[in-house]
Amino acid sequence: MNDIASIGRLYGLGSYIEMLKIFAISTLIMLLSACGGATNDASLIDEPIIIKFPHVVAPGTPKGQAASRFEQLVEERFPGRVDVEVYPSGQLMTDDDSLEALAFGEIQMIAVSLSKFDRLTQAFQVFDLPFLFSNIGAVENFQASIEGQELLEALVDSGFLGLAFWHNGMKHFGAHRPLRLPNDAQGLRFRIMESDVLQAQMEAIGGNPQKMAYGEVYQALQTGAIDAQENTWSNIYSSKFHEVQPYFMLSNHGYVGYFVAVNEQFWETLPNDIQDGLSEIMAEVTEWGNARSIAINDESREKILATGRAEIIALTDQELRAWRTMVHPVWEQFSDEIGADLIEAAQRSSN
Ligand code: LMR
């Protein structure tokens, strides 16, 4: 430009060239700021925040219903600003893959069974101790206690921030033959979730535990790759296990519930009003879904019976005592890993 200016001055065109320079520079600045501004504004105004939320069970289950309600309320309260994409029934990925995807920020939210966090924390194993919680009320007391609430932040170092615990319900055994006493389970191949406590539980009753993704259980039962499994009525019914497994025992021996978590970095980048709004909605949905979970499981049990394809066997107090006694050593086995204090807090909630 200096050369052009000196040529211009040489030909008596100094002020004209100066004007051209000013015009060119200001046009360039306007163009650059217009481009930059347009990009920022578009990302703020046009593009909603996406929350990808995969899970592995059917939409009608306690978790399926809670996830849909969360989606609905968020989109009603933040139209065009937040878009929740729920992927049920393992459409997008397995639970195992979702833990990795959440850590890497490929998805933003999960509701994964508490039994599946072994490789990240041992504290959640408390929920798997057999016969520790006598019912959902006991679990709820524990989750609401100081010790329970602290668990929501147990995985922050791994990048997961817990927002809530959602219930499914109490677990029951299912097998290709009636299991009235632990001896009946001798040698059976039991599908279990990814949990060392559940593995020890099945070994304690003489079973042969096989860790397996939820989406594979139906086929494994159907082909005889496994003989038995444990789950809630809503999972058994919605995944049709009763069509390929004729006997269920009302064993009530454990809990299935979920750690509902977001990617912590994603959460921290949310505008304050959205963060507050999502927390409020999560609290509402948790209360709504947890209250419904018992009814959904009761209805599912009735529907299984109504199909006439499976028998549900009630166990006597004496039979239940035999199961309880057989698996009780598992508590001691995992006491150090889980923390004796945490187990005591859970026991207090049950009383
Ligand atoms: C299972 O794998 O059996 C459960 O965790 C599935 C679920 O999400 O309820």
Side-chain angles (χ1 to χ4, degrees):
M1 285 295 256
N2 281 345
D3 289 343
I4 295 172
S6 52
I7 293 167
R9 265 195 298 277
L10 195 64
Y11 289 94
L13 297 170
S15 56
Y16 178 65
I17 296 285
E18 283 307 316
M19 272 173 60
L20 269 183
K21 269 168 67 181
I22 291 167
F23 177 74
I25 289 169
S26 45
T27 307
L28 192 64
I29 289 170
M30 272 167 57
L31 275 174
L32 284 176
S33 58
C35 287
T39 313
N40 288 340
D41 289 352
S43 66
L44 283 175
I45 294 167
D46 296 329
E47 288 172 25
I49 293 162
I50 308 280
I51 299 182
K52 283 198 177 148
F53 183 6
H55 66 82
V56 297
V57 290
T61 57
K63 175 165 59 183
Q65 293 197 19
S68 303
R69 186 150 180 102
F70 179 76
E71 175 177 18
Q72 180 202 335
L73 293 185
V74 170
E75 291 176 6
E76 267 171 33
R77 293 187 204 167
F78 294 102
R81 291 187 67 201
V82 187
D83 187 2
V84 180
E85 295 176 1
V86 175
Y87 300 90
S89 309
Q91 276 166 16
L92 198 60
M93 58 183 77
T94 63
D95 275 336
D96 222 26
D97 289 344
S98 76
L99 297 187
E100 209 166 301
L102 189 73
F104 285 109
E106 288 158 19
I107 58 171
Q108 289 68 41
M109 188 176 282
I110 54 163
V112 168
S113 174
L114 287 153
S115 311
K116 296 179 181 172
F117 289 86
D118 266 20
R119 61 192 150 112
L120 297 171
T121 175
Q122 315 222 280
F124 288 3
Q125 292 183 323
V126 70
F127 292 104
D128 281 341
L129 291 178
F131 294 105
L132 172 57
F133 300 104
S134 43
N135 52 42
I136 292 293
V139 180
E140 196 144 304
N141 290 342
F142 172 60
Q143 289 175 342
S145 70
I146 294 171
E147 293 85 351
Q149 285 296 298
E150 278 172 2
L151 291 180
L152 288 175
E153 301 204 353
L155 294 183
V156 169
D157 287 348
S158 306
F160 299 8
L161 176 66
L163 298 184
F165 295 114
W166 284 355
H167 300 320
N168 183 328
M170 300 304 286
K171 281 184 295 193
H172 307 275
F173 289 121
H176 63 16
R177 64 178 189 228
L179 309 180
R180 291 187 190 280
L181 288 166
N183 233 6
D184 299 326
Q186 199 69 33
L188 294 190
R189 287 161 301 174
F190 277 88
R191 177 269 171 168
I192 54 165
M193 294 183 267
E194 287 285 328
S195 155
D196 288 349
V197 171
L198 298 181
Q199 180 168 337
Q201 167 197 277
M202 296 310 188
E203 283 166 356
I205 57 172
N208 175 2
Q210 321 258 325
K211 292 179 178 172
M212 186 180 284
Y214 183 69
E216 294 170 21
V217 180
Y218 178 90
Q219 206 183 356
L221 287 170
Q222 191 180 37
T223 58
I226 53 168
D227 313 299
Q229 55 81 43
E230 53 169 16
N231 225 311
T232 61
W233 298 124
S234 59
N235 280 353
I236 291 166
Y237 176 71
S238 60
S239 288
K240 300 186 169 60
F241 296 166
H242 59 286
E243 292 184 0
V244 285
Q245 176 150 85
Y247 296 103
F248 294 95
M249 279 46 69
L250 261 167
S251 48
N252 236 19
H253 63 279
Y255 169 71
V256 177
Y258 308 107
F259 184 58
V260 187
V262 283
N263 173 290
E264 208 249 342
Q265 261 179 6
F266 161 76
W267 185 256
E268 293 310 330
T269 59
L270 293 176
N272 286 344
D273 67 322
I274 292 186
Q275 217 182 66
D276 292 348
L278 294 183
S279 298
E280 241 168 66
I281 294 169
M282 182 54 72
E284 270 176 60
V285 170
T286 301
E287 204 182 322
W288 177 87
N290 284 356
R292 286 181 62 74
S293 63
I294 295 177
I296 296 171
N297 277 296
D298 286 349
E299 283 161 22
S300 300
R301 190 188 59 231
E302 292 310 311
K303 287 177 184 164
I304 292 169
L305 280 176
T307 64
R309 298 182 72 151
E311 200 177 320
I312 297 182
I313 299 171
L315 299 175
T316 64
D317 287 349
Q318 202 183 351
E319 286 165 343
L320 278 171
R321 252 197 312 279
W323 286 95
R324 210 183 286 267
T325 307
M326 202 77 172
V327 295
H328 194 67
V330 175
W331 291 27
E332 187 54 39
Q333 197 179 330
F334 285 86
S335 167
D336 287 347
E337 286 181 20
I338 296 171
D341 292 356
L342 203 55
I343 299 177
E344 274 164 32
Q347 271 182 290
R348 276 197 302 279
S349 309
S350 275
N351 296 328

PDB file of all heavy atoms in Angstrom, residues 56-57 63 95 111-113 116 168 191 193 212-214 217 230-232 235 256 258, ligand 1:
ATOM      1  N   VAL A  56     -31.125 -48.921  27.149  1.00  0.00           N
ATOM      2  CA  VAL A  56     -31.243 -50.248  26.535  1.00  0.00           C
ATOM      3  C   VAL A  56     -32.603 -50.920  26.700  1.00  0.00           C
ATOM      4  O   VAL A  56     -32.805 -52.011  26.167  1.00  0.00           O
ATOM      5  CB  VAL A  56     -30.146 -51.206  27.067  1.00  0.00           C
ATOM      6  CG1 VAL A  56     -28.764 -50.708  26.692  1.00  0.00           C
ATOM      7  CG2 VAL A  56     -30.250 -51.421  28.571  1.00  0.00           C
ATOM      8  N   VAL A  57     -33.521 -50.291  27.441  1.00  0.00           N
ATOM      9  CA  VAL A  57     -34.800 -50.987  27.667  1.00  0.00           C
ATOM     10  C   VAL A  57     -35.928 -50.370  26.837  1.00  0.00           C
ATOM     11  O   VAL A  57     -35.756 -49.340  26.186  1.00  0.00           O
ATOM     12  CB  VAL A  57     -35.164 -51.012  29.181  1.00  0.00           C
ATOM     13  CG1 VAL A  57     -34.228 -51.937  29.937  1.00  0.00           C
ATOM     14  CG2 VAL A  57     -35.181 -49.622  29.775  1.00  0.00           C
ATOM     15  N   LYS A  63     -37.727 -46.876  33.253  1.00  0.00           N
ATOM     16  CA  LYS A  63     -36.707 -45.962  32.701  1.00  0.00           C
ATOM     17  C   LYS A  63     -37.152 -45.380  31.365  1.00  0.00           C
ATOM     18  O   LYS A  63     -36.951 -44.190  31.103  1.00  0.00           O
ATOM     19  CB  LYS A  63     -35.381 -46.712  32.529  1.00  0.00           C
ATOM     20  CG  LYS A  63     -34.308 -45.896  31.851  1.00  0.00           C
ATOM     21  CD  LYS A  63     -32.911 -46.477  32.000  1.00  0.00           C
ATOM     22  CE  LYS A  63     -32.730 -47.875  31.447  1.00  0.00           C
ATOM     23  NZ  LYS A  63     -31.374 -48.389  31.683  1.00  0.00           N
ATOM     24  N   ASP A  95     -25.054 -50.543  26.997  1.00  0.00           N
ATOM     25  CA  ASP A  95     -24.724 -49.761  28.193  1.00  0.00           C
ATOM     26  C   ASP A  95     -23.220 -49.567  28.315  1.00  0.00           C
ATOM     27  O   ASP A  95     -22.737 -48.487  28.661  1.00  0.00           O
ATOM     28  CB  ASP A  95     -25.245 -50.476  29.445  1.00  0.00           C
ATOM     29  CG  ASP A  95     -26.699 -50.140  29.727  1.00  0.00           C
ATOM     30  OD1 ASP A  95     -27.171 -49.074  29.283  1.00  0.00           O
ATOM     31  OD2 ASP A  95     -27.365 -50.951  30.400  1.00  0.00           O
ATOM     32  N   ALA A 111     -28.627 -43.282  31.594  1.00  0.00           N
ATOM     33  CA  ALA A 111     -29.301 -43.818  32.787  1.00  0.00           C
ATOM     34  C   ALA A 111     -28.968 -45.305  32.767  1.00  0.00           C
ATOM     35  O   ALA A 111     -29.693 -46.112  32.198  1.00  0.00           O
ATOM     36  CB  ALA A 111     -30.804 -43.585  32.723  1.00  0.00           C
ATOM     37  N   VAL A 112     -27.812 -45.631  33.323  1.00  0.00           N
ATOM     38  CA  VAL A 112     -27.283 -47.000  33.249  1.00  0.00           C
ATOM     39  C   VAL A 112     -27.437 -47.669  34.609  1.00  0.00           C
ATOM     40  O   VAL A 112     -27.277 -47.034  35.652  1.00  0.00           O
ATOM     41  CB  VAL A 112     -25.805 -46.969  32.788  1.00  0.00           C
ATOM     42  CG1 VAL A 112     -25.138 -48.319  32.971  1.00  0.00           C
ATOM     43  CG2 VAL A 112     -25.709 -46.527  31.332  1.00  0.00           C
ATOM     44  N   SER A 113     -27.734 -48.943  34.563  1.00  0.00           N
ATOM     45  CA  SER A 113     -27.913 -49.715  35.794  1.00  0.00           C
ATOM     46  C   SER A 113     -26.697 -49.561  36.712  1.00  0.00           C
ATOM     47  O   SER A 113     -25.548 -49.665  36.272  1.00  0.00           O
ATOM     48  CB  SER A 113     -28.120 -51.180  35.409  1.00  0.00           C
ATOM     49  OG  SER A 113     -28.152 -51.938  36.571  1.00  0.00           O
ATOM     50  N   LYS A 116     -23.483 -51.668  36.664  1.00  0.00           N
ATOM     51  CA  LYS A 116     -22.563 -51.713  35.518  1.00  0.00           C
ATOM     52  C   LYS A 116     -21.398 -50.728  35.623  1.00  0.00           C
ATOM     53  O   LYS A 116     -20.766 -50.416  34.609  1.00  0.00           O
ATOM     54  CB  LYS A 116     -23.359 -51.484  34.227  1.00  0.00           C
ATOM     55  CG  LYS A 116     -24.367 -52.605  33.972  1.00  0.00           C
ATOM     56  CD  LYS A 116     -25.185 -52.404  32.715  1.00  0.00           C
ATOM     57  CE  LYS A 116     -26.189 -53.546  32.533  1.00  0.00           C
ATOM     58  NZ  LYS A 116     -27.140 -53.325  31.453  1.00  0.00           N
ATOM     59  N   ASN A 168     -35.812 -48.962  38.854  1.00  0.00           N
ATOM     60  CA  ASN A 168     -36.625 -49.881  38.079  1.00  0.00           C
ATOM     61  C   ASN A 168     -37.427 -50.634  39.125  1.00  0.00           C
ATOM     62  O   ASN A 168     -38.571 -50.296  39.374  1.00  0.00           O
ATOM     63  CB  ASN A 168     -35.777 -50.814  37.209  1.00  0.00           C
ATOM     64  CG  ASN A 168     -36.630 -51.716  36.352  1.00  0.00           C
ATOM     65  OD1 ASN A 168     -37.725 -52.103  36.761  1.00  0.00           O
ATOM     66  ND2 ASN A 168     -36.175 -52.073  35.181  1.00  0.00           N
ATOM     67  N   ARG A 191     -27.246 -65.613  33.470  1.00  0.00           N
ATOM     68  CA  ARG A 191     -26.808 -64.334  32.914  1.00  0.00           C
ATOM     69  C   ARG A 191     -26.810 -63.301  34.044  1.00  0.00           C
ATOM     70  O   ARG A 191     -27.766 -63.218  34.821  1.00  0.00           O
ATOM     71  CB  ARG A 191     -27.771 -63.856  31.823  1.00  0.00           C
ATOM     72  CG  ARG A 191     -27.405 -62.476  31.233  1.00  0.00           C
ATOM     73  CD  ARG A 191     -28.063 -61.308  31.952  1.00  0.00           C
ATOM     74  NE  ARG A 191     -27.528 -60.016  31.513  1.00  0.00           N
ATOM     75  CZ  ARG A 191     -28.071 -58.844  31.794  1.00  0.00           C
ATOM     76  NH1 ARG A 191     -29.176 -58.780  32.486  1.00  0.00           N
ATOM     77  NH2 ARG A 191     -27.509 -57.728  31.394  1.00  0.00           N
ATOM     78  N   MET A 193     -25.451 -59.010  35.040  1.00  0.00           N
ATOM     79  CA  MET A 193     -24.919 -57.741  34.543  1.00  0.00           C
ATOM     80  C   MET A 193     -23.429 -57.701  34.879  1.00  0.00           C
ATOM     81  O   MET A 193     -22.925 -58.565  35.591  1.00  0.00           O
ATOM     82  CB  MET A 193     -25.655 -56.575  35.202  1.00  0.00           C
ATOM     83  CG  MET A 193     -27.114 -56.497  34.809  1.00  0.00           C
ATOM     84  SD  MET A 193     -27.929 -55.057  35.527  1.00  0.00           S
ATOM     85  CE  MET A 193     -28.594 -55.733  37.039  1.00  0.00           C
ATOM     86  N   MET A 212     -23.195 -60.568  30.580  1.00  0.00           N
ATOM     87  CA  MET A 212     -23.747 -60.482  29.216  1.00  0.00           C
ATOM     88  C   MET A 212     -24.539 -59.177  29.067  1.00  0.00           C
ATOM     89  O   MET A 212     -25.218 -58.751  30.012  1.00  0.00           O
ATOM     90  CB  MET A 212     -24.697 -61.671  29.031  1.00  0.00           C
ATOM     91  CG  MET A 212     -25.258 -61.845  27.652  1.00  0.00           C
ATOM     92  SD  MET A 212     -26.369 -63.298  27.644  1.00  0.00           S
ATOM     93  CE  MET A 212     -25.198 -64.632  27.634  1.00  0.00           C
ATOM     94  N   ALA A 213     -24.462 -58.568  27.894  1.00  0.00           N
ATOM     95  CA  ALA A 213     -25.235 -57.339  27.642  1.00  0.00           C
ATOM     96  C   ALA A 213     -26.729 -57.674  27.635  1.00  0.00           C
ATOM     97  O   ALA A 213     -27.119 -58.780  27.239  1.00  0.00           O
ATOM     98  CB  ALA A 213     -24.831 -56.721  26.313  1.00  0.00           C
ATOM     99  N   TYR A 214     -27.525 -56.719  28.042  1.00  0.00           N
ATOM    100  CA  TYR A 214     -28.973 -56.930  28.146  1.00  0.00           C
ATOM    101  C   TYR A 214     -29.583 -57.390  26.809  1.00  0.00           C
ATOM    102  O   TYR A 214     -30.413 -58.308  26.772  1.00  0.00           O
ATOM    103  CB  TYR A 214     -29.631 -55.621  28.606  1.00  0.00           C
ATOM    104  CG  TYR A 214     -31.111 -55.717  28.817  1.00  0.00           C
ATOM    105  CD1 TYR A 214     -31.631 -56.464  29.866  1.00  0.00           C
ATOM    106  CD2 TYR A 214     -31.994 -55.038  27.977  1.00  0.00           C
ATOM    107  CE1 TYR A 214     -33.003 -56.542  30.065  1.00  0.00           C
ATOM    108  CE2 TYR A 214     -33.362 -55.109  28.187  1.00  0.00           C
ATOM    109  CZ  TYR A 214     -33.862 -55.865  29.230  1.00  0.00           C
ATOM    110  OH  TYR A 214     -35.208 -55.944  29.432  1.00  0.00           O
ATOM    111  N   VAL A 217     -29.763 -61.211  26.007  1.00  0.00           N
ATOM    112  CA  VAL A 217     -30.313 -62.204  26.943  1.00  0.00           C
ATOM    113  C   VAL A 217     -31.424 -63.056  26.315  1.00  0.00           C
ATOM    114  O   VAL A 217     -31.437 -64.277  26.483  1.00  0.00           O
ATOM    115  CB  VAL A 217     -30.830 -61.519  28.227  1.00  0.00           C
ATOM    116  CG1 VAL A 217     -31.390 -62.548  29.202  1.00  0.00           C
ATOM    117  CG2 VAL A 217     -29.719 -60.717  28.891  1.00  0.00           C
ATOM    118  N   GLU A 230     -31.686 -63.056  36.198  1.00  0.00           N
ATOM    119  CA  GLU A 230     -32.404 -62.326  37.245  1.00  0.00           C
ATOM    120  C   GLU A 230     -32.746 -60.952  36.685  1.00  0.00           C
ATOM    121  O   GLU A 230     -31.924 -60.337  36.008  1.00  0.00           O
ATOM    122  CB  GLU A 230     -31.533 -62.172  38.500  1.00  0.00           C
ATOM    123  CG  GLU A 230     -30.165 -61.562  38.211  1.00  0.00           C
ATOM    124  CD  GLU A 230     -29.374 -61.156  39.446  1.00  0.00           C
ATOM    125  OE1 GLU A 230     -29.712 -61.597  40.551  1.00  0.00           O
ATOM    126  OE2 GLU A 230     -28.419 -60.371  39.286  1.00  0.00           O
ATOM    127  N   ASN A 231     -33.978 -60.490  36.939  1.00  0.00           N
ATOM    128  CA  ASN A 231     -34.332 -59.141  36.494  1.00  0.00           C
ATOM    129  C   ASN A 231     -35.653 -58.713  37.127  1.00  0.00           C
ATOM    130  O   ASN A 231     -36.245 -59.450  37.917  1.00  0.00           O
ATOM    131  CB  ASN A 231     -34.385 -59.049  34.961  1.00  0.00           C
ATOM    132  CG  ASN A 231     -33.663 -57.791  34.459  1.00  0.00           C
ATOM    133  OD1 ASN A 231     -33.915 -56.698  34.967  1.00  0.00           O
ATOM    134  ND2 ASN A 231     -32.777 -57.959  33.495  1.00  0.00           N
ATOM    135  N   THR A 232     -36.088 -57.521  36.757  1.00  0.00           N
ATOM    136  CA  THR A 232     -37.358 -56.992  37.284  1.00  0.00           C
ATOM    137  C   THR A 232     -38.496 -57.456  36.380  1.00  0.00           C
ATOM    138  O   THR A 232     -38.271 -57.810  35.216  1.00  0.00           O
ATOM    139  CB  THR A 232     -37.331 -55.456  37.265  1.00  0.00           C
ATOM    140  OG1 THR A 232     -37.174 -55.043  35.901  1.00  0.00           O
ATOM    141  CG2 THR A 232     -36.167 -54.915  38.083  1.00  0.00           C
ATOM    142  N   ASN A 235     -38.650 -55.522  33.035  1.00  0.00           N
ATOM    143  CA  ASN A 235     -37.663 -55.931  32.022  1.00  0.00           C
ATOM    144  C   ASN A 235     -37.989 -57.312  31.462  1.00  0.00           C
ATOM    145  O   ASN A 235     -37.870 -57.552  30.260  1.00  0.00           O
ATOM    146  CB  ASN A 235     -36.249 -55.939  32.627  1.00  0.00           C
ATOM    147  CG  ASN A 235     -35.653 -54.531  32.694  1.00  0.00           C
ATOM    148  OD1 ASN A 235     -36.223 -53.574  32.176  1.00  0.00           O
ATOM    149  ND2 ASN A 235     -34.515 -54.395  33.338  1.00  0.00           N
ATOM    150  N   VAL A 256     -32.697 -53.234  40.969  1.00  0.00           N
ATOM    151  CA  VAL A 256     -32.213 -52.664  39.708  1.00  0.00           C
ATOM    152  C   VAL A 256     -32.612 -51.194  39.690  1.00  0.00           C
ATOM    153  O   VAL A 256     -33.797 -50.851  39.784  1.00  0.00           O
ATOM    154  CB  VAL A 256     -32.815 -53.362  38.459  1.00  0.00           C
ATOM    155  CG1 VAL A 256     -32.340 -52.670  37.179  1.00  0.00           C
ATOM    156  CG2 VAL A 256     -32.420 -54.830  38.415  1.00  0.00           C
ATOM    157  N   TYR A 258     -30.945 -46.980  38.435  1.00  0.00           N
ATOM    158  CA  TYR A 258     -30.071 -46.347  37.452  1.00  0.00           C
ATOM    159  C   TYR A 258     -29.366 -45.110  37.987  1.00  0.00           C
ATOM    160  O   TYR A 258     -29.938 -44.333  38.760  1.00  0.00           O
ATOM    161  CB  TYR A 258     -30.893 -45.944  36.224  1.00  0.00           C
ATOM    162  CG  TYR A 258     -31.704 -47.091  35.698  1.00  0.00           C
ATOM    163  CD1 TYR A 258     -33.092 -47.136  35.868  1.00  0.00           C
ATOM    164  CD2 TYR A 258     -31.085 -48.169  35.083  1.00  0.00           C
ATOM    165  CE1 TYR A 258     -33.831 -48.217  35.420  1.00  0.00           C
ATOM    166  CE2 TYR A 258     -31.819 -49.253  34.629  1.00  0.00           C
ATOM    167  CZ  TYR A 258     -33.193 -49.266  34.795  1.00  0.00           C
ATOM    168  OH  TYR A 258     -33.908 -50.345  34.358  1.00  0.00           O
TER     169      TYR A 258
HETATM  170  C1  LMR B   1     -29.921 -55.327  32.593  1.00  0.00           C
HETATM  171  O1  LMR B   1     -28.886 -55.309  31.912  1.00  0.00           O
HETATM  172  O2  LMR B   1     -30.511 -56.364  32.927  1.00  0.00           O
HETATM  173  C2  LMR B   1     -30.521 -54.017  33.018  1.00  0.00           C
HETATM  174  O3  LMR B   1     -29.500 -53.166  33.429  1.00  0.00           O
HETATM  175  C3  LMR B   1     -31.256 -53.374  31.893  1.00  0.00           C
HETATM  176  C4  LMR B   1     -31.826 -52.049  32.341  1.00  0.00           C
HETATM  177  O4  LMR B   1     -31.339 -51.034  31.884  1.00  0.00           O
HETATM  178  O5  LMR B   1     -32.775 -52.088  33.123  1.00  0.00           O
END
